[in-house]
Amino acid sequence: MSDWLESRTGLRAALGSLLGRVHSARSWAPALGHVAGFLFLLQCATGVLLALYYRPAFDGAHASVERIVSEVRFGWLVRSIHVWGTHLLLATTLAHLAARFVTGSHRAPRELVWLSGVALLAALLGSAFTGQVLPLDQEGLQGALIAASEAGPAAEIVKGGPRLSDATVSRFFTAHVVIFPAIAALAIALHVALVAKHRLAGEEGAPPGSPHRATLATLGAAMALAILAFALPAGIGPKGDPSLSVGGVKPLWIFLPLYQAMKGGWTGTFLLIGLPAALVALPFVDRGRNRLPILLLGFALMAGLLVLGLLGAMDGTAAAAAASGR
Amino acid sequence: MDRRRFLDAMMWTSVAGAAFSAIAPVPFFLVPPPGPPGLRRFRLDPLAAGAARKIDAGDRLLIAVNDGGLRIFDAACTHQDCPVDWNAGRFVCHCHGAEFDRDGRPVKGPAKLPLARLSFREEGGEIVLE
Amino acid sequence: MELLLLLLLQDVDGFGRADRDAACLDCHQESGEELRGSVHEATGCVGCHGVDEVRRGQVRGNPHRRIAEFRSWKGRNLTDDCGSCHAGPLEALKGSEHYVDTRSPAESMKRGCIECHGYHGVRDSARSSIAKECRRCHEPGSRDLDWGEAAFGRMDDLERTLLRCEEKLAELRGRPGIATADVRAAAGAARRSLAEMATAQHGLDFIRLEAAARQGNETLAAAYNPLAAREREFARRWLLLAPFLLFAGAAAALVGARAARDRKDSGA
């Protein structure tokens, strides 16, 4: 049967050649990208399933997520995979980015590989952020309000009106389901095509890659995801109340450094503009033979972000402890 | 079959098994769970003689008709569930031309089963379905 | 003194409720004491006794007599006063043996609302408190008392079940994998029917009440019982995961073996 398909589409030959050029038999690192790609596809699949039940309305959204979590058969499982998939996808993407930085895979002539990856990261972050708003629990509402306030003069575009309403939900839903995934898909296509091109040209004498490492890594990720989804299934908190400003409401962990930096006013804007600028500028700045300064700078930046993130994670507990002691 | 081909076959079987057990919950997921129960009691303004009115009971559509007394039927045509209308002593369905008499029995068209008639009592100005 | 009262009461519109009551409380301190701390504290004296006629400037002579005439002690059934806000229970009471269709206020106090609930000092109208009042007239072991206590007992059972159910529902809300929508609907229906019973119980039709409460309790329990089973079923969800992990693990092992074999082949 696969011969029937092969003679009509040439799929096996094309895939084999592509995978052979993308993967290297030498190291595990490229498997990370493959795992991220698999997780992205899984997010799309579970996302479609969730969208069959989600109601993009200001009043109905939370109830529809409650229904998915409690009433729909295996709804809790689909949602838990989608939630844990977000965490794993973002973590894998960051690890992949860090690994690529260390190995210098962003240097000429691979600048566009790196830049398409940065665009992909931005799209994934956008998707994650808008996705967290959709259940309209307290975190969700807070996220929408923060996005609107950060947008400054464009706040009405974010909110779809003067206040949070059905229009806001429609916009966040469309962004999460169509806009950001489409950008991500294009970025992935560009990224993989460029990697294939450069791998063929770059590694002379390297044996043709085999996809086994990537397959193993993917299977491992799938198993880890399944275990997480079953062990720690995602529920949903109470409906968000826009009139409350509840303390200790945090965004996704990946946004914690920004959350912490925003408390300092200018530091927040600095991070929001500076970090993407640094990522985009990297291939053009890192040209010299001596990579040490850039590497050290990179590690310092990563450490700084980690510290900011931990501070952001901890602040609520400190404030809560102080409040209860009072 | 030599060892290599056997191991390869085992590998593909395992992959297929994993994929199947991952996809198996999806058909169950797709079937929607039952919604909230519909109305069982409601106010009904008096109907003129010979007049009918549709009532949205949440989980189904009802039709109440005053034809020498109040009768309430499930408005879903027993052919393919289009809502029926009351027209001069008969229930008519505009989708495929089915017609039912005042007792809900099919008299014309593709419907074979009678319209479901609901028993009710009046209590404190409200209709209470039984 | 009467002139002072006259002057005060003429401009009643400009007074707040406390001020209006102040004029009454000058003399009726005991009633005022009873009212304070009761459920009708906010209603005040004028809420039931009223001074409308006085306000409309029709005061002549002793305004006190005017008040007394408006809600006078003569020629009316005092339970109508209660019924001006509590229409449902009064309707039900009228169909029972505890209603006396009389024009004498004193008679109307003997068996109507006032008999069990009191008048100024109504504090606690919970079923368990009012039930004690029955024994003042009905002998223990008498048919009426037994029926009444049985009905109240079933209603209390229903309320206890309902509270347990609502507590559990609050705990389970938003928890993954445990369906609660049908139970929530049943609890809502039970709440509504309990409220209806609380009104209807004034009709003292205890046989019907007892049956309705028992039925309600059974229906609610039937809806509530599956919850524990659903929680257990969700705890068993790992059985679902096992096939996937086994197949995926086997696949991983075999892929690894194949990779090793390929390496050996290309190395050799």
Side-chain angles (χ1 to χ4, degrees):
Chain A
M1 185 178 71
S2 63
D3 291 330
W4 184 93
L5 203 61
E6 180 61 23
S7 57
R8 278 152 185 75
T9 62
L11 195 64
R12 191 170 50 192
L15 266 183
S17 144
L18 176 70
L19 289 177
R21 281 184 283 164
V22 165
H23 297 292
S24 157
R26 256 194 278 144
S27 80
W28 275 94
L32 273 178
H34 193 104
V35 169
F38 164 73
L39 288 173
F40 176 74
L41 288 173
L42 191 60
Q43 289 300 89
C44 292
T46 52
V48 166
L49 289 176
L50 289 174
L52 290 175
Y53 285 102
Y54 176 75
R55 206 134 63 90
F58 196 68
D59 276 326
H62 184 264
S64 69
V65 178
E66 264 186 352
R67 191 154 175 258
I68 290 172
V69 161
S70 300
E71 314 294 322
V72 177
R73 267 169 288 270
F74 301 118
W76 62 272
L77 182 58
V78 174
R79 178 149 192 272
S80 300
I81 293 179
H82 198 75
V83 169
W84 277 111
T86 309
H87 297 314
L88 283 186
L89 175 57
L90 291 174
T92 313
T93 306
L94 284 185
H96 182 66
L97 179 149
R100 285 285 145 263
F101 165 70
V102 165
T103 61
S105 311
H106 52 275
R107 290 157 64 87
R110 295 192 171 86
E111 298 96 329
L112 289 181
V113 176
W114 175 264
L115 289 178
S116 62
V118 171
L120 177 55
L121 177 63
L124 289 178
L125 287 173
S127 218
F129 183 80
T130 50
Q132 201 186 16
V133 170
L134 295 182
L136 292 194
D137 52 2
Q138 206 57 43
E139 281 84 8
L141 278 185
Q142 216 91 328
L145 287 169
I146 289 176
S149 65
E150 280 303 299
E156 279 219 359
I157 296 181
V158 169
K159 284 190 284 190
R163 304 176 56 225
L164 293 188
S165 66
D166 282 353
T168 318
V169 184
S170 286
R171 292 194 176 208
F172 274 82
F173 185 61
T174 307
H176 179 72
V177 169
V178 180
I179 301 178
F180 287 118
I183 299 175
L186 283 173
I188 290 177
L190 187 62
H191 192 73
V192 170
L194 287 172
V195 166
K197 171 193 173 345
H198 284 283
R199 185 61 50 88
L200 193 60
E203 291 182 2
E204 297 114 13
S210 73
H212 294 313
R213 282 221 169 90
T215 314
L216 277 175
T218 307
L219 280 170
M223 285 165 65
L225 184 57
I227 292 175
L228 283 169
F230 271 77
L232 300 166
I236 177 139
K239 192 168 173 182
D241 184 346
S243 62
L244 286 178
S245 57
V246 180
V249 171
K250 304 277 177 59
L252 270 181
W253 56 268
I254 201 171
F255 295 112
L256 283 175
L258 192 60
Y259 164 79
Q260 181 69 15
M262 282 214 249
K263 294 177 187 167
W266 69 269
T267 46
T269 320
F270 179 70
L271 199 62
L272 199 55
I273 312 283
L275 194 52
L279 284 175
V280 167
L282 180 65
F284 308 102
V285 163
D286 185 10
R287 286 172 187 276
R289 185 147 306 196
N290 184 12
R291 290 204 70 216
L292 196 57
I294 296 274
L295 279 174
L296 286 177
L297 210 59
F299 284 132
L301 191 60
M302 284 191 253
L305 286 172
L306 187 61
V307 167
L308 273 180
L310 285 171
L311 284 175
M314 287 189 315
D315 79 341
T317 49
S324 60
R326 198 167 300 143
Chain B
M1 203 195 312
D2 64 299
R3 183 153 180 259
R4 164 169 309 206
R5 293 258 288 275
F6 174 73
L7 283 180
D8 277 356
M10 283 289 100
M11 184 181 78
W12 288 116
T13 314
S14 304
V15 170
F20 178 76
S21 54
I23 305 219
V26 173
F28 295 94
F29 177 88
L30 291 174
V31 175
L39 286 178
R40 290 290 168 269
R41 65 161 54 202
F42 46 86
R43 278 224 115 72
L44 186 64
D45 291 331
L47 281 169
R53 190 176 305 135
K54 300 249 181 78
I55 301 150
D56 182 356
D59 59 347
R60 55 188 172 174
L61 199 62
L62 307 175
I63 184 163
V65 59
N66 180 359
D67 183 48
L70 187 64
R71 293 152 179 252
I72 301 184
F73 292 85
D74 187 329
C77 175
T78 51
H79 176 231
Q80 281 187 357
D81 283 340
C82 284
V84 301
D85 283 323
W86 172 257
N87 188 0
R90 285 202 175 169
F91 295 101
V92 290
C93 176
H94 299 293
C95 285
H96 306 100
E99 287 181 26
F100 307 81
D101 67 10
R102 59 194 292 273
D103 295 316
R105 283 189 293 261
V107 294
K108 198 170 152 191
K112 295 285 173 290
L113 295 170
L115 283 181
R117 176 142 178 215
L118 301 173
S119 47
F120 60 95
R121 63 176 195 275
E122 298 201 36
E123 205 173 85
E126 288 183 322
I127 308 282
V128 180
L129 299 178
E130 280 156 6
Chain C
M1 177 58 194
E2 285 166 23
L3 217 55
L4 187 61
L5 260 172
L6 175 69
L7 286 166
L8 283 169
L9 290 167
Q10 252 185 327
D11 191 18
V12 156
D13 253 342
F15 288 8
R17 198 255 323 145
D19 299 304
R20 285 197 301 229
D21 283 2
C24 317
L25 294 176
D26 264 347
C27 296
H28 300 275
Q29 282 128 351
E30 220 177 86
S31 304
E33 277 304 311
E34 288 178 4
L35 196 65
R36 203 167 307 128
S38 82
V39 300
H40 290 126
E41 189 176 352
T43 323
C45 314
V46 299
C48 293
H49 292 292
V51 285
D52 290 352
E53 260 70 3
V54 178
R55 263 201 304 132
R56 280 190 239 130
Q58 284 157 1
V59 178
R60 241 198 339 258
N62 182 357
H64 218 215
R65 197 191 303 137
R66 200 69 216 171
I67 296 172
E69 277 174 6
F70 177 72
R71 305 280 189 179
S72 82
W73 191 245
K74 301 201 270 289
R76 51 181 241 285
N77 191 326
L78 293 180
T79 55
D80 289 337
D81 290 349
C82 313
S84 63
C85 291
H86 301 275
L90 183 61
E91 264 317 295
L93 185 71
K94 284 188 173 162
S96 81
E97 282 164 12
H98 268 219
Y99 181 71
V100 187
D101 193 2
T102 175
R103 290 280 107 206
S104 154
E107 279 301 307
S108 72
M109 282 177 74
K110 282 201 187 139
R111 281 234 202 137
C113 319
I114 296 168
E115 173 72 356
C116 297
H117 288 284
Y119 42 98
H120 289 143
V122 180
R123 267 171 185 71
D124 180 9
S125 53
R127 224 173 5 255
S128 45
S129 314
I130 301 297
K132 296 194 203 104
E133 302 289 326
C134 308
R135 290 179 175 235
R136 282 206 281 127
C137 300
H138 293 272
E139 291 291 316
S142 72
R143 186 192 66 173
D144 288 337
L145 188 69
D146 284 347
W147 281 352
E149 294 194 330
F152 282 174
R154 291 294 82 64
M155 287 172 72
D156 285 341
D157 288 344
L158 178 57
E159 185 148 33
R160 260 196 305 274
T161 311
L162 189 53
L163 282 173
R164 229 188 24 233
C165 187
E166 287 173 340
E167 233 176 68
K168 190 77 178 157
L169 282 174
E171 186 194 313
L172 287 179
R173 185 142 206 180
R175 279 246 305 259
I178 301 168
T180 54
D182 52 349
V183 184
R184 239 179 294 140
R191 260 279 155 230
R192 278 189 300 274
S193 86
L194 198 58
E196 268 168 34
M197 276 186 243
T199 304
Q201 71 190 345
H202 293 93
L204 304 179
D205 186 354
F206 289 129
I207 299 182
R208 253 186 82 186
L209 217 52
E210 199 259 349
R214 185 146 31 94
Q215 177 65 43
N217 206 9
E218 277 167 18
T219 312
L220 185 60
Y224 171 69
N225 284 336
L227 278 183
R230 287 178 194 167
E231 282 186 274
R232 277 195 302 273
E233 202 185 300
F234 186 66
R236 281 203 308 266
R237 64 191 183 279
W238 295 98
L239 292 172
L240 255 177
L241 180 59
F244 174 74
L245 283 185
L246 286 170
F247 279 118
L254 289 164
V255 167
R258 165 113 175 226
R261 198 194 332 140
D262 284 355
R263 259 200 311 277
K264 196 158 54 93
D265 284 350
S266 57

